[in-house]
Amino acid sequence: MPIPAAAALLYAPDGYDDGRPQVMGRQAAGAGLLGGLVRHAGFDRLVALTRGAADAAAFRAQVAALGAAVPAETLAEADFAQLARIGCLMLPGPELSEYAWRRRRLMGGAGLSLVGITHTIASEAAMDSLAELLLAPVQPWDALVCTSTAVRGAVQRLWQGEGAYLARRLGATRVEGPALPVIPLGVDTAALAPDPAARAEWRRRLGIAPQDIAVLHHGRLSFHAKAHPLPMFLGLARAAAAAPAGAKVVLILSGWFADATQRRAFSELARALAPELPIRLVERPEPGTTLRAAADIFTLLSDNIQESFGLAPVEAMAAGLPVVASDWDGLRDTVEHGVTGFRIPTLMAGAMPDLAQRHAQGDEPYDHYIAGVAQFTAVDVGAAEAAFAALIGDAALRARMGTAARARAIATYDGAAVMRQYAQLWAELAKLRQSGRGERAARLRGEEPVPRRPDPAMLFADYPSRRLTPETRLCLAPGLPDAAAALARLLAIAAIPGGAARRDLLPGAETFQAVLAQLEAGPASAGALVADQPPGYAARLFRALAWLVKIDVLRVAEESA
């Protein structure tokens, strides 16, 4: 039986679209999260906060395409406060700050929980978002999900440095961000199950004989932003000698090149380092391709700080393939060394502050920054060769590790397993939110909810000669004998383009007529003129009195003589 929705999504199509030829990791992760919600959350409805009608329509269409059996509901940005009835807003990235401030303005810190997720944390924008969380009004019932233990360590290290600075600069005694649970990305293990028919078809198309050993590398083909191919080319070329008699080792390169430079680099490196290694290039494979079925081994020897989890190896595990991966970031969590494959040791050079500095001051673009760090990060070629040789030369080992890999994928990374971890997180955050535990930096009475976005009438109080207050006495402007004449002038000016730049902020004509009628008897205070209005509408009318002065329908009484 469906349960009430415990979380809503912040939805924009770009964050959840894995149907494009060059899908990015964050998009694949977003699509996986949405798919997990549709298939495994068990909610009575799927709710999204969207920024426009087009995004709302895209959400409903994507949910329908995923086979949702429950309705899709969308809320506009103006309906943000309605999220309190659900209790949690899931964001597709780490940018919790904007919504923490919005929550503080509209409903207070205990109004709902905010849960973000990390992807790459190497870019300036990502690091700024993470550092900003120490200043934003995040609460103990908020969380930033880290997709790997390595990423959590990096976030904590960034916060330690930022927090130490804030403590010295401002005397801060408590510097805290949101909770940092580790929850991996999920995959649809049923859709990725081994497929003998697809295997036979792909190997026929690629010219790979039944006895040959095919090693698959899938993803972005980028030596500077994903994985330098040198250890893969060298390791495989040298390990090919371990192939059984009559069999050969074939490398399948599947993915996309960002540009001609990347294509040329891969081609020339392969020619120089592995001239005898047969390579099959499957460029820009269709989303959902069954190409994994053609392989016997999967490899990703990532050496790039832009990587944070590594979804492709998990998909390969779900397809029943043993994995040879670098001992790097999220791959350290996903690949169980000696059980589901092999992790190859990595080595990073010493201090590189000059790279960070040149990037920070704009001397080098992001791609140059991550390329520099990757250049000084090594993957152990000898260990890669040994791992490839072990799997190439032992069909039983491949089968045993492949079976273990699929079992691990089902138990740990299937959408149902991941969604159970999210459900537990939502419940824990809701319990904290409802416990009455004190809100960090709770808003004081009369305090601006967002200090850096204050009421302009307060911030710019020194600009005008005077401010309209409830005690300010107003009267009809000279030449206006009664309310009817004043209303006629008001309506005539409002009808002129530019006469009222924001007519949507003004009360209706009937309200203005009632106010002007009060002034027929003589001057009255602004407070008295709005006294009969409901509180929210009184504030709207009060500031509109200044507009009546602006268009010379009213005057400040002391200046009317």
Side-chain angles (χ1 to χ4, degrees):
M1 182 176 179
I3 60 175
L9 283 180
L10 175 65
Y11 181 89
D14 179 66
Y16 299 87
D17 181 10
D18 66 345
R20 59 184 65 193
Q22 297 190 31
V23 63
M24 303 297 286
R26 62 180 178 82
Q27 294 158 337
L33 176 61
L34 181 54
L37 285 169
V38 168
R39 288 187 290 269
H40 306 297
F43 290 163
D44 60 357
R45 67 197 189 286
L46 297 163
V47 184
L49 182 71
T50 60
R51 286 189 166 133
D55 286 0
F59 174 73
R60 289 190 291 269
Q62 189 168 359
V63 165
L66 289 168
V70 296
E73 176 185 327
T74 59
L75 298 173
E77 290 276 329
D79 301 322
F80 180 81
Q82 293 186 32
L83 290 169
R85 61 187 169 87
I86 295 172
C88 179
L89 177 63
M90 294 284 298
L91 300 133
E95 299 85 5
L96 275 68
S97 295
E98 174 188 349
Y99 292 91
W101 286 114
R102 187 177 301 184
R103 176 182 62 187
R104 180 180 172 92
R105 183 188 294 278
L106 297 175
M107 63 180 77
L112 78 158
S113 292
L114 300 171
V115 176
I117 187 169
T118 60
H119 298 299
T120 180
I121 60 170
S123 70
E124 283 191 304
M127 286 189 277
D128 287 347
S129 292
L130 294 172
E132 184 68 22
L133 293 177
L134 298 183
L135 298 174
V138 294
Q139 302 299 332
W141 41 85
D142 297 329
L144 177 66
V145 171
C146 299
T147 55
S148 68
T149 53
V151 165
R152 180 171 64 182
V155 173
Q156 290 172 329
R157 203 166 289 114
L158 183 72
W159 282 354
Q160 286 168 2
E162 188 78 6
Y165 167 75
L166 292 173
R168 291 194 308 275
R169 176 72 175 83
L170 303 174
T173 57
R174 187 180 69 182
V175 182
E176 299 175 295
L180 292 175
V182 176
I183 300 178
L185 301 181
V187 298
D188 185 351
T189 58
L192 292 165
D195 186 340
R199 177 179 175 83
E201 173 59 20
W202 270 109
R203 288 175 79 99
R204 183 193 64 78
R205 288 170 58 180
L206 297 175
I208 301 173
Q211 71 273 18
D212 292 342
I213 295 95
V215 181
L216 172 66
H217 171 98
H218 171 74
R220 278 176 292 156
L221 300 172
S222 172
F223 64 82
H224 81 284
K226 186 69 173 179
H228 199 288
L230 183 147
M232 177 176 64
F233 288 152
L234 280 181
L236 271 177
R238 294 171 180 173
K248 64 177 181 286
V249 176
V250 179
L251 173 62
I252 304 172
L253 284 180
S254 166
W256 51 93
F257 297 105
D259 51 40
T261 299
Q262 296 288 347
R263 181 190 296 276
R264 185 171 62 254
F266 269 71
S267 176
E268 294 185 4
L269 282 166
R271 188 180 303 114
L273 303 174
E276 305 300 322
L277 180 67
I279 297 177
R280 307 288 189 265
L281 176 63
V282 181
E283 198 168 358
R284 299 177 184 273
E286 290 294 323
T289 180
T290 56
L291 178 61
R292 294 176 194 84
D296 301 286
I297 302 165
F298 182 88
T299 187
L300 174 61
L301 300 178
S302 182
D303 57 8
N304 205 278
I305 57 173
Q306 184 165 254
E307 185 73 82
S308 59
F309 177 73
L311 193 59
V314 175
E315 293 172 333
M317 289 166 58
L321 297 178
V323 175
V324 177
S326 49
D327 191 41
W328 182 257
D329 59 60
L331 306 178
R332 186 170 295 150
D333 291 349
T334 56
V335 179
E336 192 173 359
H337 184 70
V339 178
T340 65
F342 296 102
R343 292 201 312 268
I344 310 305
T346 54
L347 173 73
M348 181 181 278
M352 297 182 248
D354 55 317
L355 302 184
Q357 179 182 335
R358 285 200 292 271
H359 176 45
Q361 62 195 27
D363 293 339
E364 292 183 349
Y366 175 66
D367 275 10
H368 288 197
Y369 167 59
I370 59 174
V373 179
Q375 179 165 292
F376 302 118
T377 301
V379 176
D380 189 323
V381 175
E385 177 188 348
F388 286 131
L391 288 167
I392 288 168
D394 190 339
L397 178 64
R398 294 198 300 272
R400 187 165 62 251
M401 285 189 163
T403 299
R406 178 155 173 79
R408 178 169 171 78
I410 292 171
T412 307
Y413 303 109
D414 183 72
V418 171
M419 203 49 55
R420 284 194 293 271
Q421 293 184 64
Y422 271 106
Q424 182 179 354
L425 174 63
W426 297 329
E428 290 171 353
L429 296 180
K431 186 176 180 180
L432 278 174
R433 195 174 65 248
Q434 296 160 7
S435 68
R437 177 178 173 177
E439 178 182 340
R440 295 173 184 162
R443 181 184 175 188
L444 302 176
R445 183 183 299 275
E447 183 182 42
E448 285 291 335
V450 186
R452 66 180 68 176
R453 298 290 186 273
D455 177 350
M458 181 278 292
L459 182 62
F460 302 108
D462 292 333
Y463 283 33
S465 303
R466 64 170 71 186
R467 296 181 65 192
L468 182 67
T469 69
E471 293 74 32
T472 304
R473 291 177 60 78
L474 300 170
C475 63
L476 296 178
L480 297 176
D482 52 31
L487 183 63
R489 177 181 289 181
L490 182 160
L491 295 175
I493 292 175
I496 300 170
R502 292 290 308 277
R503 295 191 63 175
D504 58 306
L505 300 179
L506 297 175
E510 291 184 1
T511 301
F512 278 130
Q513 186 174 22
V515 168
L516 295 172
Q518 293 182 62
L519 293 171
E520 285 186 338
S525 70
L529 291 174
V530 303
D532 294 335
Q533 300 295 327
Y537 205 74
R540 182 184 180 94
L541 176 58
F542 183 85
R543 68 187 184 191
L545 296 176
W547 178 70
L548 295 181
V549 175
K550 181 183 185 74
I551 63 173
D552 203 31
V553 167
L554 299 185
R555 296 272 182 96
V556 176
E558 292 81 357
E559 297 177 354
S560 61

